[in-house]
Amino acid sequence: MKSDKIIEEILFEIEKHERGMSRRNAMKLLAASPIAASVIASATIATEAEASSSNATGKIVIVGGGLAGIATAAKLTNRLANPDITLIEPNPYSVSYQPGQTLIAAGVWEKSDITYETANFIPKGVKWIKDSVVSFDPQNNKVKTADGTEIGYDYLVVATGLTLNFGAIKGLEGEITSMGANDVVRKKVGKDGVYSVYFADGAVDTKKGIEELIAKAKAHKGPEKLQAIFTDPDTAIKCGGAPKKVMYITHDLLKKAGVRDKVELTFCPSGDKMFGVPEYNAAIFEQFKVRDFKWEFKTNLVAIDTEKKMATFEKKWLEKGEYDEDLKEYTMVSMSKLVEKKYDFIHITPPQKAPDFVGKSPVGSSKGWVPVVKETLQHVTYKNIFALGDVAAVPMGKTGGSARKQYNVVAENLIAVMEKQAKLPAEYDGYTVCPLITSIGTVAMLEFNWTAKPAPSFPLDPTQERWIWWLVKVYALKPMTIYGMLSGRA
């Protein structure tokens, strides 16, 4: 769909749903929105030169050729007069448009809609090494690849993404993912009621799994409802809204098939809230209540028996302990027990971590992620190293929306280091966005930052589900990302 058609439809929906708002005012809203501005820019791909070029020199190595890595390479190419950039990425095909995976599960997109050839987006002049990094030597400014080659650098950018750690769940030890989760060895996930939308083929399988659940519900005659469970682990994850998105999608498809009353949908998160932003947390609670969803907080999936279709969760809670005379209050004691749940369908959000070759290296940390100053994205120890995207240790922000803000910060600050500036000029404020699919046709655009407050681009109530955001999600965000961000301009 062309950009003018997208804008026309968005304007129509604003007029339709926001009574009293004229098309002229709607266009003003659209023009003022960073999201819409990016849509327009990415559809026409700006060709004007960067406002200023830097004459700074030095060898830059970027590890990871997904969305964050290529966007950073493109931005640096645009900004440096004589760039010397090497990109290390083994995969010839990328699925960096991961937000599309929920749309595949919904039956709106196909797998081909989210894949692209890496070579088509490598910026001109960037050297591409088609191999994997296996170790880092930041003391000597070197990385080593799988074939044993040592590659030196003056400046390093780590953008490897994260690893889906299915093997941390007992019963799924044989499920192995490679860097970036583009390649998954599966034995049990993707069939027999066990699904995960967190990788491309898994999203395809999830669509089939929902269809199987619908067929089973249509044939179900018993008094007890079928059980559909949706998990959320006790690790940081990319796209924190995805576990709920799949639940909303499943609900909507069951409802459209006329069998929603035959299936109980239960959300089992390891945390104690729906969302970290209070306003969004409250809105999601209301959405859950309207849809008759069930939920059990502090419930973490630890094991699964796929033959018996039984999931085991560690359930945690606090109990009153001994009375503290000094504090004049009772201490609280953490308690836990294992709880088994029978399922007919289970969507697993796997535990996630940095790739071992990153997390267990000198550039990693005890928690695995690459430790950076959250505002500048500069490594806390090695000042010539930056990290961004899913692998960076920053609060929240493991989304494409975060990476879209982060790569500009990394590029500007890296150039500042190259120019030996006393102060890094760019700061990341923690902005991220979760286009929360609430049905096949509505989205709540949840934008926020480290203040844990809504940060909407439009002056519209961001807690509300809207058709206009569905249009943006389905038609606009992908071209903005693939053509705008990967060119270093969106």
Side-chain angles (χ1 to χ4, degrees):
M1 182 180 288
K2 293 183 178 179
S3 62
D4 57 350
K5 180 63 174 176
I6 296 169
I7 301 304
E8 184 69 20
E9 292 203 25
I10 293 174
L11 287 171
F12 174 78
E13 291 299 327
I14 291 175
E15 284 186 305
K16 179 179 177 181
H17 294 286
E18 304 300 321
R19 295 180 181 179
M21 182 179 292
S22 68
R23 173 156 292 217
R24 181 177 181 180
N25 287 335
M27 180 61 85
K28 288 180 180 179
L29 280 176
L30 201 58
S33 166
I35 290 179
S38 294
V39 172
I40 297 169
S42 61
T44 57
I45 301 299
T47 57
E48 61 268 19
E50 293 284 341
S52 61
S53 294
S54 171
N55 292 318
T57 59
K59 183 175 182 180
I60 301 169
V61 169
I62 300 174
V63 181
L67 178 60
I70 290 182
T72 304
K75 186 71 175 183
L76 289 168
T77 299
N78 295 340
R79 285 281 284 109
L80 292 170
N82 297 290
D84 180 0
I85 303 171
T86 297
L87 183 76
I88 306 176
E89 168 57 52
N91 295 315
Y93 294 94
S94 178
V95 288
S96 279
Y97 194 67
Q98 295 174 39
Q101 288 167 202
T102 48
L103 293 175
I104 293 174
V108 178
W109 283 6
E110 302 290 335
K111 180 182 174 181
S112 59
D113 291 320
I114 68 169
T115 59
Y116 60 83
E117 292 187 34
T118 303
N120 292 339
F121 291 91
I122 301 290
K124 185 178 180 180
V126 171
K127 180 182 179 182
W128 178 20
I129 296 177
K130 301 176 185 179
D131 203 350
S132 301
V133 167
V134 295
S135 65
F136 294 86
D137 181 4
Q139 294 288 353
N140 296 299
N141 292 338
K142 293 179 181 179
V143 298
K144 182 184 287 187
T145 60
D147 70 359
T149 301
E150 288 189 341
I151 301 167
Y153 61 83
D154 296 307
Y155 308 95
L156 179 69
V157 176
V158 184
T160 60
L162 52 69
T163 295
L164 304 180
N165 192 18
F166 284 102
I169 301 169
K170 185 178 179 181
L172 298 181
E173 294 88 350
E175 316 293 304
I176 303 171
T177 69
S178 69
M179 183 180 70
N182 293 338
D183 182 23
V184 181
V185 176
R186 292 175 293 147
K187 297 180 180 179
K188 298 179 180 179
V189 177
K191 59 184 179 181
D192 301 328
V194 182
Y195 301 96
S196 181
V197 78
Y198 267 80
F199 54 101
D201 287 334
V204 175
D205 292 334
T206 299
K207 175 180 179 293
K208 296 176 183 176
I210 295 172
E211 291 171 347
E212 291 169 0
L213 178 63
I214 290 171
K216 189 172 183 178
K218 287 181 176 179
H220 184 62
K221 304 298 183 183
E224 295 185 354
K225 291 185 177 182
L226 300 177
Q227 297 297 314
I229 298 173
F230 304 80
T231 76
D232 194 342
D234 61 355
T235 67
I237 62 173
K238 57 183 170 184
C239 191
K244 291 181 278 289
K245 293 178 189 180
V246 181
M247 190 171 181
Y248 284 111
I249 289 166
T250 303
H251 159 81
D252 202 36
L253 291 173
L254 287 167
K255 184 178 178 180
K256 285 178 168 63
V259 292
R260 174 62 182 88
D261 61 330
K262 293 186 177 183
V263 184
E264 185 167 272
L265 279 65
T266 305
F267 184 50
C268 292
S270 61
D272 59 358
K273 55 177 68 73
M274 296 294 183
F275 211 92
V277 177
E279 291 86 347
Y280 298 154
N281 183 61
I284 292 171
F285 261 122
E286 291 306 311
Q287 293 165 9
F288 269 42
K289 291 174 184 177
V290 168
R291 291 164 172 81
D292 193 28
F293 291 167
K294 310 301 179 185
W295 61 86
E296 294 185 27
F297 289 136
K298 298 276 191 174
T299 305
N300 186 47
L301 179 67
V302 295
I304 188 166
D305 187 328
T306 57
E307 292 185 3
K308 295 180 179 179
K309 291 195 171 183
M310 187 71 70
T312 301
F313 294 84
E314 182 181 25
K315 178 74 174 177
K316 293 184 177 181
W317 71 96
L318 294 176
E319 282 191 1
K320 187 184 294 184
E322 296 181 354
Y323 187 77
D324 190 311
E325 291 289 350
D326 295 328
L327 297 175
K328 302 302 181 184
E329 64 183 30
Y330 287 94
T331 60
M332 301 304 293
V333 180
S334 179
M335 305 292 289
S336 69
K337 66 177 180 180
L338 296 181
V339 178
E340 291 187 332
K341 292 182 178 294
K342 189 77 175 175
Y343 66 84
D344 296 281
F345 173 99
I346 185 168
H347 177 268
I348 296 177
T349 300
Q352 295 166 33
K353 63 179 184 177
D356 285 344
F357 76 90
V358 178
K360 295 181 179 180
S361 78
V363 303
S365 68
S366 60
K367 294 185 178 180
W369 312 104
V370 179
V372 295
V373 178
K374 68 177 184 178
E375 293 86 5
T376 64
L377 302 176
Q378 184 181 44
H379 198 282
V380 297
T381 302
Y382 306 103
K383 304 309 179 185
N384 63 337
I385 297 178
F386 290 81
L388 74 158
D390 294 343
V391 77
V394 296
M396 301 182 291
K398 296 189 186 301
T399 71
S402 298
R404 185 171 69 88
K405 296 290 186 178
Q406 291 172 358
Y407 85 89
N408 288 289
V409 172
V410 167
E412 293 306 312
N413 287 340
L414 177 52
I415 290 171
V417 172
M418 295 171 72
E419 293 176 340
K420 296 180 172 52
Q421 294 183 26
K423 187 179 184 299
L424 300 185
E427 290 192 357
Y428 173 53
D429 67 357
Y431 172 87
T432 191
V433 57
C434 172
L436 184 68
I437 297 173
T438 56
S439 74
I440 300 176
T442 58
V443 164
M445 193 67 75
L446 310 184
E447 296 176 89
F448 55 101
N449 54 34
W450 287 326
T451 66
K453 290 289 185 182
S457 296
F458 272 88
L460 302 173
D461 184 352
T463 66
Q464 297 302 305
E465 310 164 53
R466 300 176 190 275
W467 171 247
I468 56 172
W469 298 139
W470 174 261
L471 293 176
V472 171
K473 167 72 176 177
V474 175
Y475 298 114
L477 293 183
K478 178 187 170 184
M480 178 192 75
T481 302
I482 300 299
Y483 298 105
M485 186 172 167
L486 288 180
S487 69
R489 301 187 187 280

